[in-house]
Amino acid sequence: MRPVYMISGGITKFTKAEPRKSFRVMVKEAFDYALRDCSKLTVERIDGTVVSYFSDHFTRQLKAGVMAVDMCGLVPKPTIRIEGGGATGGLCFQEAWRHVASGWMDCVVAMGFETMSHVNTWKGNEFIALASDTNFDYPVGGFYTGYYAMMVVRHMHEFGTTVEQLAKVSVKNHRNALHNKWAQHHYDITVEDVRRSPMVAYPLTILDICTMSDGAAVAILASEEVAQHVCDNPVRVLGVGMGSDAMRMADRPHDDVILLKHEDPKWYRGLKYPGVHSFRAGRTACKMAYEKAAIEDPREDLDFVELHDAYTSSEIQTYEDMGLCKYGDGGKFIDQGHPELTGRIPVNPSGGLIACGHPVGATGLMQAVFAFWQLQNNIAKHNDGDATIQVRQQKGKGRRPMRGAIHSHAGTGTYVTVSILESTLA
Amino acid sequence: MAKKVAPKRKSKAPRKSASKPQRPAGPKPVYDKVRLPETDQGATVFRTDPLIVKDHYEIDYIHSYAEDSPFFLGLAQGKLLGSECSACHYRFATPRAYCMRCGAATRWLDLPLEGRVHTWTTCYFGSEAFLKETPFNLALVEFDGVNTLLLARLIGATEKEIRVGMPVKARFRRLAQFKPTDVYFVPADKA
């Protein structure tokens, strides 16, 4: 595999409903944004596309991918559609990476979208719940917030995690998004606001949960040669990893923890893993990505993380899967302020899914775009001059931020991708 | 269907008699153009700028429970069936044809009708199909001697009353719907 660089990115502003633009036009707008930001890149240089969107039900337009590609003027170049639930965007990013890393192509556009406003929220929840076992899970009361609520109830039972700790994730992510013009929600909220908002599935309130959105995002990946030619400030894709787990939460085993390099088996004596409190796919993806990127200890070697916080609870679970803290310490990790913008390792400086929105097929690519701008030190350029969410040098780290991880997650942890990006700024 | 016979033009012939004055020339209605018949169908329009209309979609699937069929037939007979791996003897509370650990075929296993709440939630919102049933409780149930869990509804206890580890008993619908909700659980002390 040869080195791969991200050379540009673009997004549309995510919104509850964008009835004035079809998915093709949203993708085209994100693509044009990316082209404008990398003015030496011409359409002729692009070898092909990878397109991600989660559910055919939302748009009820099969083979929608090629329609987006067509709108961008990229037919008859090769194209392929990628789908894997909530991780669709992350899988798309990695498929584009493979296109280039393998030497097959030199410049590939990863483009993703979702138009979830085409049905009402309860119908959308039904479509999403069809991404659970339709014999044994969906008919019992298929509802993803219900599934995540059960996981966090067990996490609370095992580790003493509290609802206030969950709420702090929502407060943090919304606060970061106050300074992100691309975010869907700009809410200045407190822990009390989160707890007093309507209960959706105990203990998750409406402010513990991301929303459905319309939107598109584009990431352009290239070989070293193309990157050097067309981009002054490319970002290296240092390593990628992915993992999977059984569709049904009920099937998850109760075994031993899969250890990361910096972890000690003594930490986890007696802990049954993953059960329904942890994500084996997330841990597997991290382990692989860290090995490929030579990350010895993510707490030291990563400078920020954009992770898939579809729920506040899954952000806390993911701190642990990613090794940002020990299994069981996710609640304390947020209590201690480590994932805050000025903390030890900022998590979701963009505002994450909870504040930015979650147009599924675009989400993983949105994370790539935010991480790309972070590592180019370009947040202000793309955010009307506001650099508040630009991650600064952290205490105890003798360098400015160099490396970020993006984490994309599907189902109750069925597909997870982790990609490590590194700045090339001197 | 029998074809309608076109009216004979002969009957119109006498009107053209030379003794009557000619009508002034002008457009006449034309009936022989090819056109769609009009219907009383219209659109439900939510907005006009941009134009947003209702687009109805409905489908009946011919859904086979295939290898899982005995589980659903069992529920109708008051039996709760899981799977046991024929090679490594791992026991699954939610049935599956092949073992996820070693890949060997499984055989059917009678599950106990008593278990404990491994985890749970109360849903106040849901998918469209279940909205009218809210609030409802979901639970993952654990059984002694069985390695994995079973997702089911839990009734007879409120959010305030349910606890992890709470003993529960299986109950079956008297009239089966051949859905996994043909079995549900109730607190053991209310059974």
Side-chain angles (χ1 to χ4, degrees):
Chain A
M1 295 288 185
R2 60 178 178 161
V4 176
Y5 294 82
M6 182 163 170
I7 57 168
S8 197
I11 46 178
T12 62
K13 185 176 157 59
F14 295 171
T15 174
K16 173 74 186 166
E18 182 52 284
R20 290 177 187 284
K21 291 167 193 165
S22 76
F23 63 92
R24 322 156 181 74
V25 166
M26 284 191 274
V27 170
K28 166 72 169 156
E29 287 184 1
F31 176 61
D32 284 349
Y33 191 97
L35 277 186
R36 280 197 301 277
D37 196 40
C38 186
S39 55
K40 281 185 264 179
L41 177 67
T42 56
V43 169
E44 291 70 44
R45 263 197 190 272
I46 295 167
D47 297 314
T49 51
V50 184
V51 191
S52 62
Y53 50 105
F54 156 56
S55 177
D56 295 309
H57 296 320
F58 283 113
T59 310
R60 204 149 74 80
Q61 170 63 68
L62 302 191
K63 293 204 282 126
V66 79
M67 298 168 78
V69 173
D70 167 5
M71 193 61 81
C72 293
L74 292 167
V75 289
K77 300 172 198 263
T79 187
I80 185 170
R81 182 248 181 121
I82 296 290
E83 188 276 316
T88 296
L91 290 163
C92 176
F93 182 83
Q94 295 195 350
E95 183 56 32
W97 173 85
R98 265 188 298 279
H99 275 47
V100 178
S102 63
W104 189 42
M105 289 186 187
D106 291 319
C107 185
V108 174
V109 183
M111 40 175 66
F113 67 86
E114 211 74 47
T115 47
M116 306 175 82
S117 69
H118 293 206
V119 292
N120 283 314
T121 301
W122 45 92
K123 199 70 187 174
N125 270 292
E126 198 171 295
F127 289 168
I128 293 166
L130 289 171
S132 61
D133 188 315
T134 53
N135 275 6
F136 293 99
D137 292 341
Y138 172 77
V140 180
F143 182 36
Y144 257 94
T145 304
Y147 303 160
Y148 273 79
M150 284 191 283
M151 285 191 276
V152 74
V153 164
R154 190 67 199 186
H155 198 277
M156 291 159 74
H157 175 80
E158 292 277 347
F159 305 124
T161 311
T162 66
V163 292
E164 289 75 21
Q165 289 168 337
L166 304 183
K168 282 180 184 176
V169 173
S170 180
V171 172
K172 166 182 73 75
N173 291 354
H174 280 106
R175 189 193 300 134
N176 291 349
L178 287 173
H179 297 280
N180 181 358
K181 73 162 188 175
W182 300 97
Q184 182 171 341
H185 303 294
H186 294 106
Y187 298 149
D188 185 6
I189 53 168
T190 63
V191 166
E192 292 68 40
D193 292 330
V194 178
R195 291 316 301 167
R196 276 195 221 117
S197 66
M199 187 64 73
V200 178
Y202 173 85
L204 300 173
T205 73
I206 201 163
L207 286 171
D208 281 305
I209 308 168
C210 68
T211 49
M212 293 187 204
S213 319
D214 285 358
V218 160
I220 307 182
L221 303 188
S223 65
E224 191 160 286
E225 197 203 336
V226 171
Q228 278 172 353
H229 243 91
V230 304
C231 185
D232 303 327
N233 191 359
V235 165
R236 170 108 186 249
V237 184
L238 206 55
V240 304
M242 54 207 298
S244 66
D245 211 334
M247 179 68 118
R248 307 188 302 215
M249 272 199 295
D251 284 351
R252 309 285 167 84
H254 295 80
D255 291 336
D256 294 328
V257 174
I258 299 166
L259 294 174
L260 295 175
K261 242 179 188 168
H262 70 282
E263 289 185 320
D264 187 333
K266 277 187 273 183
W267 296 354
Y268 301 128
R269 276 199 193 125
L271 176 62
K272 291 174 178 171
Y273 179 87
V276 297
H277 51 74
S278 298
F279 300 117
R280 199 165 45 151
R283 177 46 71 97
T284 304
C286 285
K287 194 174 164 69
M288 182 186 288
Y290 293 168
E291 280 170 17
K292 302 277 183 198
I295 302 276
E296 295 286 326
D297 183 340
R299 299 168 303 179
E300 298 302 321
D301 299 339
L302 293 177
D303 300 305
F304 70 89
V305 173
E306 287 285 344
L307 66 78
H308 193 98
D309 57 325
Y311 302 90
T312 54
S313 51
S314 58
E315 175 160 327
I316 283 182
Q317 291 167 289
T318 302
Y319 297 152
E320 301 171 1
D321 296 324
M322 297 192 80
L324 307 182
C325 62
K326 289 181 197 174
Y327 273 114
D329 284 354
K332 283 180 218 143
F333 189 71
I334 181 101
D335 270 345
Q336 290 161 352
H338 295 317
E340 303 281 349
L341 204 49
T342 53
R344 202 162 80 180
I345 176 156
V347 176
N348 287 327
S350 67
L353 282 56
I354 283 184
C356 291
H358 184 19
V360 186
T363 303
L365 295 170
M366 162 197 82
Q367 295 172 320
V369 173
F370 287 141
F372 175 72
W373 291 342
Q374 282 284 0
L375 292 167
Q376 285 192 319
N377 199 23
N378 261 350
I379 290 289
K381 176 184 172 186
H382 297 285
N383 196 34
D384 294 342
D386 186 349
T388 310
I389 58 170
Q390 181 76 53
V391 173
R392 318 278 164 188
Q393 184 166 324
Q394 291 120 340
K395 276 180 220 156
K397 283 184 185 166
R399 55 181 162 78
R400 53 169 203 79
M402 283 293 292
R403 240 166 270 125
I406 54 174
H407 161 279
S408 193
H409 171 117
T412 52
T414 41
Y415 302 96
V416 179
T417 67
V418 172
S419 306
I420 314 289
L421 308 183
E422 187 178 64
S423 173
T424 59
L425 287 172
Chain B
M1 204 199 286
K3 273 190 179 175
K4 280 185 185 168
V5 180
K8 285 176 185 168
R9 292 194 172 246
K10 258 188 185 173
S11 58
K12 287 184 180 174
R15 287 190 194 162
K16 286 185 181 174
S17 82
S19 60
K20 287 193 177 175
Q22 285 270 259
R23 284 189 303 183
K28 288 190 172 54
V30 180
Y31 300 106
D32 58 351
K33 276 222 171 139
V34 178
R35 62 196 317 160
L36 278 175
E38 295 304 326
T39 73
D40 60 359
Q41 287 177 337
T44 302
V45 176
F46 297 114
R47 265 177 69 164
T48 53
D49 178 27
L51 181 59
I52 303 177
V53 298
K54 187 186 224 172
D55 188 8
H56 184 71
Y57 184 52
E58 199 174 294
I59 192 160
D60 284 317
Y61 281 93
I62 302 163
H63 182 75
S64 171
Y65 281 122
E67 67 279 0
D68 295 329
S69 301
F71 172 81
F72 295 93
L73 293 166
L75 295 183
Q77 298 158 29
K79 279 198 303 187
L80 192 53
L81 293 175
S83 300
E84 178 172 342
C85 174
S86 57
C88 76
H89 301 287
Y90 201 79
R91 291 175 160 195
F92 299 92
T94 312
R96 47 185 299 140
Y98 290 92
C99 176
M100 81 181 285
R101 298 173 81 83
C102 75
T106 60
R107 49 181 170 243
W108 292 99
L109 165 75
D110 279 312
L111 292 174
L113 299 183
E114 294 178 21
R116 286 175 306 278
V117 172
H118 182 79
T119 190
W120 63 276
T121 186
T122 304
C123 295
Y124 296 89
F125 188 72
S127 303
E128 187 173 39
F130 309 109
L131 265 187
K132 59 184 182 301
E133 297 166 24
T134 57
F136 57 84
N137 305 317
L138 295 176
L140 283 164
V141 179
E142 57 185 38
F143 301 94
D144 280 337
V146 182
N147 300 93
T148 70
L149 308 169
L150 178 69
L151 175 65
R153 292 282 185 101
L154 173 63
I155 66 163
T158 65
E159 186 194 299
K160 298 271 182 289
E161 297 163 338
I162 310 171
R163 294 283 175 273
V164 169
M166 188 169 86
V168 289
K169 282 188 175 175
R171 285 276 173 273
F172 299 89
R173 280 185 194 276
R174 191 169 57 85
L175 299 175
Q177 296 175 351
F178 299 97
K179 288 179 180 174
T181 42
D182 283 350
V183 63
Y184 56 94
F185 287 79
V186 300
D189 57 14
K190 287 186 185 171

